[in-house]
């Protein structure tokens, strides 16, 4: 039987091979095929911009932003709204046609750069240009690995762009690499090299976002975050976009409405800038996949600034709002250009009519161990390592997810010997951040740097320790990498770590379905990438 769709970009893909009938995430075949077309036309646009740059011509900033937002739109759990995707395809085709007029030499352009069509053809075309249109399984695997890494890079660039920070070299690379995934003359070796180059730009992209965040909101500092509730009505903000949070806090000031963070927005509490808002209440709930029960209990409106959206229940669908690259059919989308203020009044007015959140937890969690904060504690940390009080660091960054097998990460954290410290970032932390693992001489045994993009901080910390201990190689440090992945931002984090020379990363709960046996072999042989087994066996493997 013919597939209705094909997608294998996330860890929860059906049967660990591919979603062919409907997405496990809730993506319909119609939306999946339209997303494939959006990726295709974005690659076409990128081939044109890359050719224009080769002719020495300038590419406007709004085109760079369009490419990033388009890719972000197709990340797992970001946008389920076919109308939003169709309008992005139309806008991309229109922009591409205009740019084609500026291009002198059109001889070497791929089909995607020249294709155009009206809306009635989109879904059929999407079916023809998806993942399986590349027949060779190794070339397909590498093209998808690169595309997913670029989706992650685009997401991080988009957040920096919203804070009015751009890196045109990152944008030019992103577009060139996208266009190279259409180039049939490239060999497996060429694409392996391009994959590693993605890692280099992944580091640059995360550095850009880190600079954008810290120059705007200050350096994260150790912070204790309340996980209980107050008595006022509240708005829950989820996702990664700090600029959206800033606008929401400004507009809710003095309204009697509190703002709570959810999932990946938790690390916002660590930034000094946001501490001035009295109505910035705390963090409500856990990682993205628990949102159905938690959003229902929250009682007030929810603003999704990025993925991960779980298709909402009717009980709260009318209080779910989207912004940025996200979208869900039937949920109100609030837009706004970079540098302009989005209008969240409708959300605030709705909140006023809602009950206060139902308490689901009480207490606090502590985080804020991004690079500057850890550097400030460097003497204590180094002393603890030298004295043997800290024997090892375990990087457990990445994503959380619904799979039962992910209880491995809670069990692993619980089973870790008392002289080991977890370094984390991303929503993976929710598997253990409410455990009381104590501290080592005042250093908590779970150091949370922030969002998944703050894995950059963990890399900086590793490089700093390498320097302090006078080591030649980052792999000589007493650090083990046991990373959990779910969607495509984790792919660029992984490629960035590989670029920085980190070896022997363990990736779970399962290896990506998009790695063909040969591509997986390249990663195993060159970087020592491995999966996970059981907590007991992995403990022996990592620490003996
Ligand atoms: Fe998690 Fe979702 Fe941050 Fe991801 S909320 S899974 S890698 O979007 O982006 O860590
Ligand atoms: Fe399936 Fe994941 Fe793709 Fe959703 S994003 S359709 S769950 S592979």
């Amino acid at each position: 039987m013919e597939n209705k769709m094909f997608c294998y970009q996330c860890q929860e893909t059906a049967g660990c091979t591919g979603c062919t009938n409907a997405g496990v995430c809730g993506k319909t075949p119609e939306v999946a095929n339209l997303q494939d077309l959006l990726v295709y036309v974005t690659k076409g646009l990128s081939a044109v911009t890359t050719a224009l740059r080769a002719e020495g011509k300038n590419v406007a900033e709004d085109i760079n932003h369009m490419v990033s937002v388009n890719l972000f739109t197709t990340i797992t759990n970001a946008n389920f709204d076919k109308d939003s995707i169709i309008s992005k395809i139309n806008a991309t085709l229109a922009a591409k046609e205009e740019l084609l007029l500026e291009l002198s030499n059109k001889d070497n352009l791929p089909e995607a750069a020249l294709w155009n069509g009206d809306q009635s053809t989109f879904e059929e075309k999407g079916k023809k240009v998806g993942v399986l249109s590349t027949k060779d399984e190794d070339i397909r695997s590498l093209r998808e690995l690169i595309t997913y890494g670029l989706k992650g890079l685009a997401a991080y660039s988009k957040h920096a762009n919203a804070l009015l920070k751009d890196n045109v070299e990152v944008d030019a690379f992103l577009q060139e690499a996208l266009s190279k995934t259409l180039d049939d003359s490239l060999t497996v070796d060429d694409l392996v090299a391009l994959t590693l180059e993605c890692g280099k730009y992944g580091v640059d992209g995360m550095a850009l976002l880190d600079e954008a965040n810290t120059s705007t909101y200050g350096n994260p500092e150790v912070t204790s975050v309340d996980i209980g509730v107050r008595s006022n009505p509240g708005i829950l903000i989820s996702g990664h976009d700090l600029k959206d949070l800033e606008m929401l806090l400004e507009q809710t000031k003095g309204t009697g409405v509190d703002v709570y963070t959810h999932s990946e927005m938790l690390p916002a509490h660590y930034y000094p800038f946001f501490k001035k808002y009295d109505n910035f209440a705390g963090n409500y709930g856990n990682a993205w996949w628990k949102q159905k029960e938690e959003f229902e209990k929250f009682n007030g409106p929810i603003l999704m600034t990025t993925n991960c959206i779980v298709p909402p229940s009717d009980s709260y669908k009318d209080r779910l709002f989207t912004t940025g690259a996200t979208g869900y059919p039937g949920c109100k989308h609030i837009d706004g250009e970079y540098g302009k203020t989005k209008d969240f009044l409708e959300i605030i007015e709705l909140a006023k009519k809602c009950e206060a959140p139902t308490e689901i937890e009480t207490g606090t969690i502590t985080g804020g161990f991004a690079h500057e904060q850890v550097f400030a504690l460097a003497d204590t940390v180094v002393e603890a390592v030298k004295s043997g009080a800290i024997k090892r660091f375990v990087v457990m960054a990445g994503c959380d997810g619904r799979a039962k097998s992910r209880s491995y990460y809670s069990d692993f954290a619980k089973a870790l010997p008392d002289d080991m410290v977890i370094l984390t970032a991303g929503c993976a932390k929710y598997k253990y951040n409410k455990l009381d693992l104590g501290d080592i001489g005042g250093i908590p045994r779970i150091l949370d740097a922030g969002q998944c993009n703050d894995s950059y901080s963990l890399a900086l910390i590793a490089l700093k320790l390498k320097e302090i201990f006078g080591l030649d190689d980052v792999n000589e440090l007493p650090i083990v990498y046991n990373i959990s992945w779910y969607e495509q931002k984790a792919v660029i984090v992984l490629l960035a770590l590989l670029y920085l020379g980190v070896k022997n990363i363990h990736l779970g709960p399962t290896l990506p379905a998009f790695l063909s046996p040969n591509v997986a072999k390249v990663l195993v042989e060159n970087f020592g990438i491995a999966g996970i087994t059981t907590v007991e066996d992995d403990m022996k493997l990592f620490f003996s």
Side-chain angles (χ1 to χ4, degrees):
M1 208 180 71
E2 205 197 325
N3 291 337
K4 290 188 185 158
M5 58 181 277
F6 187 85
C7 181
Y8 63 175
Q9 65 176 352
C10 84
Q11 191 272 327
E12 291 185 2
T13 194
C16 278
T17 52
C19 296
T20 54
N21 232 351
V24 171
C25 58
K27 190 160 78 172
T28 61
E30 188 183 24
V31 167
N33 294 322
L34 287 168
Q35 286 190 357
D36 284 350
L37 185 61
L38 180 57
V39 170
Y40 177 75
V41 298
T42 304
K43 288 181 175 181
L45 171 66
S46 297
V48 177
T49 59
T50 303
L52 281 169
R53 287 191 183 95
E55 289 182 0
K57 291 169 185 148
N58 189 41
V59 175
E61 196 173 79
D62 58 347
I63 298 293
N64 293 338
H65 293 172
M66 176 182 269
V67 170
S68 295
V69 171
N70 285 358
L71 288 190
F72 200 170
T73 301
T74 67
I75 278 185
T76 301
N77 292 338
N79 199 316
F80 297 81
D81 182 8
K82 79 170 192 189
D83 293 338
S84 153
I85 296 161
I86 288 170
S87 86
K88 285 182 168 71
I89 295 169
N90 279 322
T92 306
L93 288 171
K96 187 200 69 186
E97 291 304 322
E98 267 191 36
L99 290 178
L100 274 173
L101 300 175
E102 291 175 33
L103 191 63
S104 311
N105 181 357
K106 301 182 183 62
D107 293 348
N108 296 319
L109 289 177
E111 197 247 13
L114 302 169
W115 182 82
N116 208 331
D118 70 44
Q119 202 172 313
S120 63
T121 65
F122 284 179
E123 214 194 325
E124 272 316 300
K125 182 69 182 173
K127 274 191 193 165
K128 294 197 180 90
V129 296
V131 173
L132 299 178
S133 62
T134 302
K135 299 297 169 210
D136 180 285
E137 78 163 346
D138 297 325
I139 299 281
R140 180 199 304 152
S141 173
L142 287 161
R143 284 181 173 176
E144 295 310 312
L145 173 59
I146 292 163
T147 303
Y148 304 152
L150 296 173
K151 287 187 183 192
L153 178 55
Y156 294 152
S157 298
K158 190 258 157 192
H159 293 308
N161 299 158
L163 291 168
L164 307 181
K165 301 277 182 192
D166 287 80
N167 179 333
V168 287
E169 280 159 23
V170 168
D171 287 315
F173 170 77
L174 208 154
Q175 292 159 33
E176 188 184 350
L178 276 177
S179 71
K180 283 183 174 169
T181 65
L182 299 169
D183 184 345
D184 290 330
S185 73
L186 297 186
T187 63
V188 163
D189 286 348
D190 295 333
L191 292 173
V192 168
L194 184 59
T195 306
L196 300 182
E197 217 185 338
C198 284
K200 175 193 178 308
Y201 285 95
V203 174
D204 293 350
M206 282 191 269
L208 175 72
L209 179 53
D210 183 80
E211 210 272 322
N213 284 339
T214 56
S215 63
T216 314
Y217 303 119
N219 274 301
E221 50 194 33
V222 181
T223 306
S224 164
V225 181
D226 195 347
I227 56 171
V229 296
R230 299 180 184 173
S231 54
N232 296 325
I235 297 171
L236 190 58
I237 178 167
S238 192
H240 307 65
D241 201 304
L242 298 178
K243 185 67 194 175
D244 288 329
L245 172 68
E246 180 191 341
M247 290 187 274
L248 184 65
L249 284 168
E250 268 305 307
Q251 292 172 44
T252 48
K253 252 188 337 195
T255 60
V257 173
D258 289 332
V259 173
Y260 293 79
T261 55
H262 179 262
S263 191
E264 275 286 71
M265 199 56 89
L266 156 68
H269 292 276
Y270 312 154
Y271 288 90
F273 180 92
F274 297 114
K275 294 184 175 169
K276 66 181 182 225
Y277 295 99
D278 296 335
N279 65 327
F280 193 27
N283 190 69
Y284 190 85
N286 293 277
W288 65 272
W289 61 278
K290 286 203 171 163
Q291 63 190 250
K292 271 200 170 186
E293 55 178 286
E294 294 174 353
F295 285 5
E296 184 161 324
K297 291 199 172 108
F298 184 74
N299 301 330
I302 302 124
L303 175 62
M304 300 300 303
T305 68
T306 64
N307 57 331
C308 287
I309 301 177
V310 174
S313 317
D314 288 344
S315 61
Y316 64 85
K317 193 175 172 189
D318 57 349
R319 346 182 220 111
L320 191 79
F321 294 75
T322 61
T323 187
T326 62
Y328 197 86
C331 293
K332 175 91 189 249
H333 186 80
I334 297 176
D335 231 336
E337 287 168 41
Y338 301 153
K340 302 249 167 70
T341 304
K342 293 181 184 175
D343 184 355
F344 293 135
L345 187 64
E346 186 178 338
I347 307 184
I348 299 166
E349 289 306 313
L350 175 62
K352 287 180 184 165
K353 293 184 211 131
C354 294
E355 281 175 38
T358 306
E359 182 179 277
I360 52 174
E361 290 171 305
T362 56
T364 58
I365 43 181
T366 302
F369 295 94
H371 50 87
E372 289 311 302
Q373 179 65 80
V374 175
F375 294 171
L377 298 170
D379 289 348
T380 322
V381 173
V382 168
E383 205 33 60
V385 174
K386 282 190 177 152
S387 73
I390 295 181
K391 199 149 161 219
R392 231 166 299 214
F393 296 95
V394 187
V395 173
M396 291 178 74
C399 322
D400 198 4
R402 316 170 240 237
K404 290 242 172 354
S405 55
R406 284 182 188 263
S407 61
Y408 164 94
Y409 295 103
S410 309
D411 297 341
F412 188 92
K414 284 183 211 157
L416 268 185
D418 289 349
D419 53 8
M420 296 195 187
V421 170
I422 295 173
L423 299 175
T424 191
C427 62
K429 64 169 84 56
Y430 286 98
K431 276 281 183 278
Y432 42 77
N433 68 345
K434 290 166 188 171
L435 299 175
D436 182 11
L437 296 189
D439 65 282
I440 299 176
I443 303 162
R445 287 191 54 228
I446 302 174
L447 300 181
D448 176 22
Q451 299 178 338
C452 44
N453 45 289
D454 295 308
S455 297
Y456 173 72
S457 259
L458 303 181
L460 288 191
I461 292 165
L463 294 173
K464 185 74 168 179
L465 289 174
K466 175 185 145 210
E467 183 192 310
I468 295 174
F469 289 110
L471 303 172
D472 296 327
D473 183 345
V474 76
N475 296 297
E476 291 169 31
L477 285 166
I479 304 182
V480 167
Y481 292 81
N482 193 3
I483 289 178
S484 53
W485 81 286
Y486 171 56
E487 48 90 335
Q488 300 79 56
K489 284 178 245 170
V491 176
I492 195 63
V493 170
L494 175 72
L495 296 181
L497 290 175
L498 297 185
Y499 169 75
L500 292 171
V502 176
K503 296 229 156 68
N504 303 324
I505 296 173
H506 289 261
L507 195 61
T510 53
L511 289 180
F514 53 81
L515 296 181
S516 67
N518 285 331
V519 172
K521 201 165 150 231
V522 170
L523 294 178
V524 172
E525 284 175 358
N526 294 299
F527 301 101
I529 296 262
I532 57 170
T533 58
T534 63
V535 170
E536 210 185 6
D537 288 351
D538 284 348
M539 289 271 163
K540 281 189 209 137
L541 179 73
F542 297 166
F543 307 132
S544 56

